[in-house]
Coordinates of all heavy atoms in Angstrom, one line a residue:
P4 N 139.0 102.6 88.8 CA 139.7 101.5 89.4 C 138.9 101.1 90.7 O 138.5 102.0 91.5 CB 141.0 102.2 89.7 CG 141.2 103.2 88.6 CD 139.9 103.7 88.3
R53 N 132.5 94.3 90.7 CA 133.4 95.4 90.9 C 134.7 94.9 91.4 O 134.7 93.8 92.2 CB 132.8 96.3 91.9 CG 131.6 97.1 91.5 CD 131.4 98.1 92.5 NE 130.0 98.7 92.5 CZ 129.8 99.9 92.8 NH1 130.8 100.7 93.3 NH2 128.5 100.4 92.9
I89 N 116.4 77.7 91.7 CA 117.6 78.6 92.1 C 118.5 78.8 90.9 O 118.8 77.7 90.2 CB 118.5 78.0 93.2 CG1 117.6 77.3 94.3 CG2 119.4 79.0 93.8 CD1 117.0 78.1 95.3
E162 N 113.3 92.2 92.7 CA 114.5 92.4 91.8 C 115.4 91.2 91.8 O 116.2 91.0 90.9 CB 115.3 93.5 92.2 CG 114.7 94.9 92.1 CD 114.0 95.3 93.3 OE1 113.3 94.6 94.0 OE2 114.1 96.6 93.8
I233 N 92.2 101.8 96.0 CA 91.4 101.6 94.9 C 89.9 101.6 95.3 O 89.4 100.9 96.3 CB 91.7 100.2 94.3 CG1 93.2 100.2 93.9 CG2 90.8 99.9 93.1 CD1 93.7 98.9 93.4
L392 N 99.5 93.2 112.3 CA 99.7 91.9 112.8 C 99.6 91.8 114.4 O 99.6 90.7 114.9 CB 101.0 91.3 112.5 CG 101.3 91.3 110.9 CD1 102.7 91.1 110.6 CD2 100.5 90.0 110.3
L488 N 101.7 71.4 106.6 CA 101.1 72.7 106.4 C 101.0 73.5 107.8 O 100.5 72.9 108.8 CB 99.7 72.6 105.8 CG 98.9 73.9 105.6 CD1 99.7 74.8 104.7 CD2 97.5 73.6 105.0

Side-chain angles (χ1 to χ4, degrees):
R53 292 191 199 210
I89 319 279
E162 293 92 318
I233 300 174
L392 302 161
L488 177 62

